[in-house]
C-alpha cells in the first residue's frame, strides 16, 4: 500500500472512532416525572420520544418515566393529549448535561375541551383503527393467555378531593379552630390507607387463584376481611361492557362502538418500528346508553391497547369514576395490564367541604407468560389470605413497594394505628365479618344469626338460637344445632348436625343431621345459597301451609371440578301435614294421613364464576355469576322403610346476559318429573305469589295464587328484559325510569288427582300465561350519600286458559325496589 493510501486509510479509521465518541459520550438515562404545570398533578401515559421516534417510552400512572439512550441525542419530545408538547433540542455538547439529572417536566394545558365534537365528511380514520382493535381484541385479551402468573403491589387510600376550596367558601373564611385543625390534618394525613401484596395465577380458561401474602390496614392489627374487599383487579377493556360498581358502561373497544362513540385521532407517535395512535372518544349526544369519555392509545403491534383513560359522564351521579390502565408488551408474546389507577369520587359525601375520594393503585411485576401450571394446583379456594399476611416486617414491605412511603402515608399509619388501638377498631371489623357470614364468633362457638328471628304466616313470630363450633375448635369438624319456637303454631323446633372435612383439595365433606321442624310442602330442593333477600326468602314470609317433619340425613359432598359441586345423600323422614289432608293409596287400598319416606338423593350444581375465599380457618363464599345449572335426582324406596316407591327429577337453568344496544335479559327454566303416585307434601306446587307480596319476586308467577296448582310433572319459563336507559334518558335527578318487560308461562299435570283428599288442587295441562310491564326507578333517592334506592311500579296480567272472570281479577300491581351506585 502506497504512503498516500495509508494516509487515507488512517484518516478513515480516525473519523470512524471520532464518530463513535460522541455516541458513547451521550449515553444517558432519562429519568424523572411529568406533571401539570398549574396543578402539579402527575400526568400518566405521556409519550417521550427521542430523535423523532428512534427510541421512546411512556410515563407510568404516577407520571414517572425511565429510558436509557445510547445514541446521539438530537431532540426529545414530551407529548400528551390536551397539553402543549415540550421539546428539548441538543445544539451544543453542554446541552446534554441537564439530562443526566432527574428531570421534572411540567406541561401546559391547552385551551380545548373533550366535549366538543366536530364531524367531518368522509370516513373517520379513527374508526378504522377502532375496528382493527375490535377485530384483534380476542388475541389481545389477557385472560385468553393460556397461563400466566404475576405479583401485584396494591395500595388503597381515602382522602378528600384535590380541588382547591373557593376563597369565599365557609371553610376558607371560618375561624373555628376545629375546622382549621381538620384542614391541617387532611393536608398531612389520609383518612384511610391499606396495602397488599398478592400473587396471581391463571390457567385458561377459567382457573384463577389469588394469594394475599401481605396486607396492612391503617388502624387495624388484623383485617383479613378488609383485605378481600380492598383488592383491585385489572379492568377488562376488551369485553362489550366495562363493569364498575355493578354499573355496566359500553366499552369503546366493542363491536359497533363507532355507531355510539365519536372517535378522533388527537396525536400520532412514531416509536421505531411501530406507531401509536392517541384517540379521544365521547358518546354521540343523541345516544341513551351509559357511556364514558376519555382517551385510548392503540399500538400498531397487533392493534392493541397500550393505555386507556376513562371517565364517567353523569353530572348528577353520587360516585364519579376515573380509571387509567397501562399495558406493556411482555416477553415478546402478549400485551398485559401492568398498572391500574382508579379514583372513585363520592360527590355528596363531603369532609371539610370537599368530596371524599377513594383511590386504588395496582402495579404488576414478575409477570410470567405461559409458565407450567398444573390443574390440580387450583382447588375449591380461589382467594387465600396467608395466616401471617398481617405480620410482614418493614424490611419485607420495603422490598415490595415501588418506592418508600411518603410523609403523608407514614403519618396515616402512625395516627390511625394509635386511634385503632384506642377505640378497638379490630372489634368493629370482627362484628362486620360476623354480619357478612351470618355468624357471631364467641371463642370456639359461633352463634347462627339466621335462627334468631323469623316470621311467616304459619308459625307467626319464630324466635330461636343456633350454636355451631367454628374452626377455632377444630378446622375439619363442625358440630352444633338450633332450637326455635313458633308463637302461632305453639310448637318447639330443633335440629342438630355434624360436618367433617375429609379431603379439602376436592372440598370433600361428610355430614349427618337430624331435624324436627316445619317445612312448606311442594318446594323444590335445589342446592342454592339462600340470602335474606332472595326470592325463596320472600316466599317464606307468606307461607301459610306447613308440614311437620322429623328427618334424619347423612350425606357426602365434593367439588369434582371447577364451578361444580356434587352431593349424595340418604334421607329418612316422617311427615305429618299441618293442614287437613289425606292420601288414598289405590294400589294397596290404604288411607294415609301421615307418611314415611326413605330417599337416596343425588344433587348437582354448576355455577359459572363461583368463588370462595379462605381466611385463616374460615371458608367464605365470595361471588357467583351466570349461567347456573341445578339438577336433583331422588329415589324413594319402600325397601329402606318408606311407604312409597318413586323417582323424582328436578332441574333449573338460569342465565343473565347483556345484549349490545338492547339491555339486560334474564331467562330461567325450571322443570320437574315424578314417576310414581306420591302424596301432596312431595309434589310440586305452582310457584305462585298472588297478591300476598306486593314486590316483584323473580322466578315466581306474580298472578298465580300461593297454592293454586300442583303437579307431578311440570315446566316453567320466566323471562325478563331491562332496557335500562336505552329508550329514554332522563335529565331529572330523581326520575330515572327504566322500562322492564316480563313474560312467564308454565305447563303441568297431576296423575291420580282424586287420591288427594282435604285440599283443592288444580292442574296446568292447558298452560298458564302472564306478562308484565314495569318502570323501575320512577323515584330514585340517595341512600347515605353513597348509593341510590330506586322505587318503581308495574302491572302483570293473567290470560289464557286459566284467566279469571274479570279484568280486575287478572290484573296484579307490583312494586319494584333496587339499589344502585
Amino acid at each position: 500500500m502506497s504512503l498516500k493510501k495509508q494516509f487515507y486509510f488512517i484518516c478513515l479509521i480516525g473519523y470512524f472512532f471520532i464518530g463513535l465518541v460522541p455516541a458513547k459520550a451521550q449515553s444517558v438515562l432519562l429519568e424523572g416525572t411529568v406533571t401539570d404545570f398549574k396543578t402539579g398533578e402527575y400526568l400518566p401515559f405521556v409519550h417521550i420520544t427521542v430523535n423523532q421516534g428512534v427510541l421512546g417510552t411512556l410515563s407510568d400512572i404516577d407520571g414517572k418515566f425511565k429510558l436509557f439512550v445510547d445514541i446521539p441525542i438530537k431532540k426529545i419530545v414530551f407529548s400528551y393529549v390536551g397539553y402543549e408538547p415540550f421539546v428539548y433540542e441538543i445544539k451544543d455538547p453542554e446541552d446534554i448535561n441537564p439530562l443526566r439529572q432527574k428531570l421534572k417536566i411540567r406541561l401546559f394545558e391547552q385551551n380545548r375541551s373533550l366535549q366538543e365534537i366536530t364531524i367531518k365528511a368522509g370516513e373517520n380514520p379513527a374508526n378504522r383503527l377502532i375496528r382493527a382493535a375490535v377485530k384483534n381484541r380476542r388475541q389481545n385479551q389477557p385472560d385468553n393467555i393460556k397461563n400466566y402468573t404475576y405479583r401485584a403491589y396494591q395500595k388503597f387510600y381515602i382522602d378528600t378531593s384535590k380541588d382547591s376550596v373557593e376563597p369565599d367558601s365557609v371553610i376558607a373564611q371560618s375561624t373555628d379552630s376545629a375546622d382549621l385543625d381538620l384542614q391541617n390534618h387532611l393536608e398531612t394525613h389520609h383518612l384511610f390507607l391499606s396495602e397488599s401484596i398478592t400473587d396471581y395465577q391463571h390457567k385458561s380458561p377459567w382457573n384463577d387463584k389469588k394469594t394475599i401474602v401481605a396486607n396492612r390496614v391503617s388502624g387495624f392489627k388484623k383485617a383479613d376481611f378488609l383485605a378481600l374487599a380492598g383488592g383491585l383487579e385489572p379492568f377488562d377493556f376488551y369485553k362489550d361492557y366495562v363493569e364498575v360498581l355493578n354499573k355496566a358502561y359500553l366499552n369503546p373497544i366493542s363491536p359497533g362502538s363507532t355507531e355510539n362513540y365519536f372517535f378522533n385521532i388527537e396525536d400520532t407517535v412514531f416509536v421505531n418500528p411501530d406507531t401509536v395512535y392517541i384517540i379521544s372518544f365521547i358518546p354521540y349526544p343523541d345516544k341513551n346508553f351509559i357511556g364514558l369519555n376519555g382517551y385510548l392509545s392503540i399500538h400498531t403491534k397487533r392493534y392493541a391497547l397500550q393505555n386507556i383513560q376513562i371517565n364517567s359522564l353523569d353530572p348528577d351521579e353520587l360516585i364519579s369514576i376515573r380509571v387509567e390502565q397501562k399495558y406493556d408488551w411482555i416477553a415478546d408474546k402478549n400485551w398485559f395490564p401492568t398498572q391500574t389507577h382508579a379514583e372513585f369520587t363520592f360527590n355528596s359525601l363531603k369532609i371539610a367541604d370537599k368530596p371524599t375520594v377513594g383511590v386504588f393503585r395496582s402495579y404488576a411485576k414478575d409477570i410470567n407468560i405461559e409458565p407450567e401450571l398444573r390443574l390440580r394446583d387450583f382447588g375449591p379456594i380461589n382467594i387465600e389470605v396467608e395466616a401471617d399476611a398481617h405480620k410482614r416486617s418493614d424490611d419485607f414491605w420495603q422490598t415490595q413497594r415501588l418506592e418508600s412511603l411518603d410523609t403523608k402515608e407514614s403519618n396515616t399509619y402512625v395516627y390511625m394505628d394509635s386511634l385503632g388501638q384506642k377505640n378497638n377498631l379490630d372489634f368493629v371489623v370482627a362484628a362486620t365479618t360476623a354480619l357478612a357470614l351470618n355468624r357471631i364468633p364467641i371463642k370456639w362457638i359461633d352463634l347462627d344469626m339466621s335462627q334468631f328471628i323469623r316470621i311467616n304466616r304459619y308459625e307467626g313470630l319464630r324466635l330461636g338460637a343456633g350454636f355451631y363450633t367454628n374452626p377455632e375448635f377444630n378446622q375439619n369438624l363442625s358440630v352444633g344445632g338450633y332450637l326455635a319456637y313458633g308463637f302461632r303454631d305453639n310448637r318447639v323446633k330443633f335440629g342438630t348436625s355434624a360436618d367433617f372435612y375429609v379431603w379439602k383439595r376436592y372440598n370433600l365433606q361428610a355430614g349427618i343431621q337430624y331435624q324436627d321442624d316445619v317445612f312448606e310442602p311442594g318446594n323444590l330442593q335445589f342446592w342454592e345459597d339462600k340470602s335474606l333477600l332472595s326470592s325463596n326468602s320472600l316466599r317464606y314470609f307468606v307461607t301459610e301451609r306447613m308440614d311437620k317433619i322429623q328427618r334424619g340425613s347423612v350425606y357426602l359432598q365434593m367439588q369434582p371440578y371447577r364451578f361444580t359441586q356434587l352431593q349424595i345423600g340418604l334421607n329418612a323422614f316422617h311427615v305429618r301435614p299441618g293442614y287437613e289432608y289425606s292420601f288414598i293409596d289405590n294400589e294397596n287400598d290404604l288411607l294415609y294421613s301421615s307418611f314415611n319416606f326413605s330417599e337416596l338423593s343425588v344433587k348437582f350444581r354448576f355455577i359459572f364464576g363461583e368463588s370462595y375465599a379462605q381466611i385463616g380457618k374460615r371458608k367464605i363464599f365470595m361471588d357467583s355469576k351466570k349461567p347456573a345449572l341445578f339438577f336433583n335426582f331422588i329415589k324413594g324406596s319402600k325397601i329402606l322403610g318408606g311407604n312409597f316407591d318413586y323417582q323424582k327429577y328436578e332441574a333449573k337453568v338460569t342465565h343473565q346476559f347483556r345484549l349490545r344496544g338492547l339491555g339486560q335479559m334474564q331467562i330461567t327454566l325450571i322443570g320437574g318429573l315424578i314417576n310414581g303416585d306420591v302424596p301432596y307434601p312431595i309434589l310440586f306446587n305452582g310457584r305462585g305469589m298472588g297478591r300476598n307480596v306486593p314486590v316483584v319476586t323473580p322466578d315466581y308467577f306474580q298472578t298465580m295464587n300461593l297454592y293454586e296448582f300442583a303437579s307431578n310433572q311440570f315446566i316453567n319459563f320466566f323471562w325478563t328484559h331491562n332496557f335500562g336507559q336505552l329508550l329514554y334518558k332522563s335529565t331529572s335527578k330523581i326520575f330515572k325510569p327504566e322500562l322492564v318487560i316480563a313474560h312467564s308461562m308454565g305447563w303441568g299435570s297431576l296423575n291420580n288427582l282424586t287420591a288427594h283428599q282435604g285440599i283443592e288442587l288444580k292442574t296446568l295441562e292447558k298452560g298458564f300465561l302472564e306478562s308484565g310491564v314495569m318502570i323501575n326507578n320512577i323515584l330514585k333517592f340517595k341512600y347515605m350519600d353513597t348509593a341510590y334506592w330506586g322505587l318503581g311500579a308495574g302491572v302483570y296480567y293473567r290470560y289464557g286458559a286459566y284467566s279469571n272472570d274479570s279484568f280486575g281479577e287478572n290484573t296484579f300491581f307490583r312494586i319494584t325496589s333496587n339499589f344502585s351506585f
Side-chain angles (χ1 to χ4, degrees), residues 418-434:
S418 63
L419 190 67
Q421 185 175 2
K422 181 180 179 180
N423 294 279
N424 195 14
L425 294 182
D426 285 286
F427 174 78
V428 177
V429 171
T432 303
T433 305

Side-chain angles (χ1 to χ4, degrees), residues 98-281:
L99 300 180
R100 300 186 185 280
Q101 306 174 28
K102 283 199 173 183
L103 305 176
K104 294 183 179 179
I105 308 299
R106 297 188 296 174
L107 301 183
F108 290 89
E109 189 174 6
Q110 294 175 339
N111 293 322
R112 66 184 300 277
S113 174
L114 184 62
Q115 302 295 327
E116 300 170 359
I117 295 180
T118 303
I119 301 177
K120 301 177 181 179
E123 167 72 351
N124 183 350
N127 289 353
R128 292 196 294 269
L129 294 168
I130 296 299
R131 285 195 290 268
V134 172
K135 183 179 180 180
N136 287 273
R137 67 177 185 160
R138 181 168 180 80
Q139 65 171 331
N140 290 323
Q141 188 172 23
D143 279 351
N144 287 330
I145 300 172
K146 183 178 179 181
N147 298 331
Y148 64 75
T149 63
Y150 69 94
R151 169 166 286 192
Y153 167 73
Q154 297 172 326
K155 181 189 296 184
F156 169 61
Y157 63 86
I158 300 176
D159 210 331
T160 54
S161 173
K162 296 180 181 178
D163 297 337
S164 59
V165 180
E166 296 297 327
D168 60 347
S169 71
V170 175
I171 294 296
Q173 296 200 7
S174 174
T175 57
D176 190 299
S177 60
D179 290 340
L180 296 176
D181 289 344
L182 179 58
Q183 283 184 289
N184 292 333
H185 179 84
L186 293 175
E187 289 176 1
T188 56
H189 299 77
H190 294 300
L191 296 169
F192 176 86
L193 174 65
S194 69
E195 299 173 281
S196 65
I197 307 295
T198 307
D199 287 336
Y200 290 83
Q201 292 179 291
H202 171 80
K203 183 174 180 60
S204 182
W206 304 306
N207 298 286
D208 292 281
K209 185 177 181 180
K210 184 166 73 171
T211 305
I212 300 174
V213 299
N215 71 289
R216 186 178 181 184
V217 182
S218 62
F220 303 91
K221 293 181 180 179
K222 185 178 181 181
D224 293 340
F225 197 73
L226 291 178
L228 293 180
L232 176 70
E233 304 288 343
F235 291 88
D236 192 339
F237 287 104
Y238 286 106
K239 291 184 177 179
D240 290 347
Y241 290 88
V242 180
E243 295 194 14
V244 186
L245 297 176
N246 293 325
K247 199 171 184 179
Y249 299 88
L250 183 64
N251 188 1
I253 304 297
S254 62
S257 60
T258 55
E259 301 298 322
N260 295 291
Y261 284 100
F262 172 75
F263 296 94
N264 188 58
I265 299 177
E266 301 288 345
D267 198 2
T268 304
V269 179
F270 174 75
V271 181
N272 186 39
D274 302 302
T275 304
V276 180
Y277 296 94
I278 297 91
I279 300 172
S280 64
F281 59 91

Side-chain angles (χ1 to χ4, degrees), residues 703-704 708-709 746-748 762-769 798-805 810:
T703 66
M704 182 186 292
E708 186 174 357
F709 297 94
W747 291 266
K762 295 169 61 177
T763 57
L764 279 165
E765 288 89 350
K766 298 178 181 179
F768 185 92
L769 300 172
R798 172 172 173 166
Y799 55 97
Y802 298 102
S803 62
N804 294 314
D805 294 335
N810 290 316

